[in-house]
């Protein structure tokens, strides 16, 4: 009988636990040092907060109770809230075509030209990097004070953000159907129109509703720089030291934001069913 020689395989060495502990300690130390530097740079001071507490109390005494005068406060506030909602809605809707175009050109599943892909990603990055409030300041100097400057600012900034989100959603789908169409001779536009876009429609709508919610909040901030809406009235109240009026406008903003959030949440829930 032939005896088979059994060779013993070498046991792989155990990972060095000490090395992992050292690496973890270095990371923790680096994070602590980073936050220590950040706290120093931002002038975080508990002493300053405690010493300024009286100022906060004075502010609350001036702001409470809110001023609910219908003709001079509540009615203009409601009208301004509607303008703020309109800025967010129009800015979000008008950015959809540009966002879809950039998303298609900037997703690997639909864009095969490396130059077009990189150029589209660069435009997305630029539009996302510039805050909407900076765009609003630019457009206020171009078209003047008012909601139109806010709409233009929302369109540009939201185009970059939504195109980024939508392109990533397009890249996460199953590539099988797209590859099958390409093998059959379909162009990138045909692949996008017949496979990619129909697949990601529910995701697109969910992300669009999320951005509408964010843009309504952004419209409030844009009003502080002259782009109209309830933010303009809040800024005006602060300038006149009418903190009771400001508190009324803030309560209106709270109602507006909650209403938009509930509406978008209900639509997203409906789509998920």
């Amino acid at each position: 009988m032939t005896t088979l020689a059994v060779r013993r395989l070498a046991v792989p060495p155990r990972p060095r636990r000490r090395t992992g502990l050292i690496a973890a300690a270095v990371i923790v130390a680096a994070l602590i040092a980073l936050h220590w530097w950040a706290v120093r740079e931002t002038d975080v001071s508990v002493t300053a907060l405690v010493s300024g507490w009286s100022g906060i109390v004075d502010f609350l005494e001036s702001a409470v109770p809110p001023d609910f005068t219908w003709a001079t406060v509540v009615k203009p506030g409601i009208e301004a809230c509607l303008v703020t909602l309109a800025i967010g809605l129009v800015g979000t809707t008008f950015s959809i075509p540009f966002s879809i175009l950039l998303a298609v050109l900037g997703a690997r599943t639909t864009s095969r030209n490396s130059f077009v892909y990189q150029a589209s990603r660069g435009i997305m990055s630029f539009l996302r990097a510039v805050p909407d409030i900076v765009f609003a300041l630019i457009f206020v100097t171009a078209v003047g004070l008012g909601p139109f400057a806010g709409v233009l600012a929302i369109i540009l900034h939201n185009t970059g953000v939504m195109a980024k989100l939508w392109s990533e959603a397009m890249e996460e789908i199953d590539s099988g159907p797209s590859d099958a169409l390409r093998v059959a001779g379909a162009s990138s536009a045909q692949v996008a129109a017949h496979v990619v876009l129909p697949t990601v429609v529910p995701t697109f709508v969910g992300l669009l509703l999320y951005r509408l919610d964010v843009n309504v909040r952004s419209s409030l901030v844009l009003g502080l720089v002259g782009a109209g809406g309830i933010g303009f009235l809040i800024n005006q109240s602060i300038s006149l030291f009418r903190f009771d009026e400001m508190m009324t406008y803030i309560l209106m903003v709270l109602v507006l934001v909650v209403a938009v959030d509930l509406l978008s949440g209900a639509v997203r829930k409906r789509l998920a069913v």
Side-chain angles (χ1 to χ4, degrees):
M1 295 180 63
T2 305
T3 304
L4 297 178
V6 179
R7 189 179 62 177
R8 304 184 71 181
L9 298 176
V11 178
R14 293 183 178 181
R16 295 183 177 180
R17 186 174 300 177
R18 184 177 180 182
T19 304
L21 292 175
I22 293 175
V26 171
I27 294 174
V28 170
L31 289 173
I32 292 174
L34 179 63
H35 283 81
W36 178 79
W37 167 82
V39 168
R40 287 191 58 188
E41 289 297 315
T42 52
D43 296 328
V44 175
S45 173
V46 178
T47 304
L49 179 61
V50 173
S51 61
W53 183 254
S54 59
I56 298 177
V57 173
D58 293 339
F59 167 77
L60 292 176
E61 289 178 352
S62 302
V64 179
D67 185 356
F68 290 114
T69 306
W70 170 257
T72 58
V73 180
V74 177
K75 183 180 177 181
I78 293 175
E79 294 172 351
C81 280
L82 294 177
V83 171
T84 296
L85 177 62
I87 293 172
L89 178 62
V90 174
T92 304
T93 303
F94 283 12
S95 66
I96 291 176
F98 308 108
S99 301
I100 292 178
L101 178 62
L102 271 180
V104 171
L105 297 178
R108 296 189 183 276
T109 52
T110 54
S111 180
R112 293 297 178 180
N113 188 304
S114 59
F115 174 77
V116 172
Y117 173 81
Q118 294 296 339
S120 302
R121 303 298 286 194
I123 295 173
M124 292 181 205
S125 299
F126 171 75
L127 294 178
R128 286 185 294 111
V130 180
D132 46 15
I133 193 170
V134 175
F135 280 130
L137 288 170
I138 295 173
F139 285 121
V140 161
T141 61
V143 301
L145 299 173
F148 186 43
V151 170
L152 294 174
I154 293 290
I155 289 175
L156 284 185
H157 183 72
N158 193 63
T159 295
V161 176
M162 276 208 311
K164 170 70 171 177
L165 295 174
W166 284 356
S167 64
E168 291 178 349
M170 293 165 64
E171 290 179 346
E172 292 175 357
I173 67 171
D174 183 14
S175 61
S178 302
D179 294 338
L181 271 184
R182 284 198 175 89
V183 171
S187 64
S188 296
Q190 290 173 324
V191 171
H194 296 286
V195 176
V196 179
L197 291 178
T199 304
V200 296
V201 164
T203 304
F204 273 25
V205 174
L207 292 172
L208 178 63
L209 291 172
Y210 164 72
R211 286 302 305 170
L212 174 61
D213 191 15
V214 173
N215 289 335
V216 170
R217 291 177 171 86
S218 298
S219 301
L220 164 65
V221 180
L222 299 184
L224 299 177
V225 296
I230 192 68
F232 179 77
L233 294 183
I234 292 176
N235 188 32
Q236 190 177 50
S237 299
I238 295 174
S239 301
L240 297 175
F241 299 99
R242 292 300 308 270
F243 299 123
D244 52 347
E245 290 183 5
M246 184 205 67
M247 183 61 68
T248 304
Y249 297 141
I250 290 177
L251 293 176
M252 290 182 177
V253 169
L254 176 62
V255 173
L256 174 64
V257 169
V258 170
V260 172
D261 186 51
L262 291 176
L263 179 61
S264 61
V267 175
R268 283 195 295 266
K269 185 177 180 180
R270 184 85 175 179
L271 291 173
V273 175

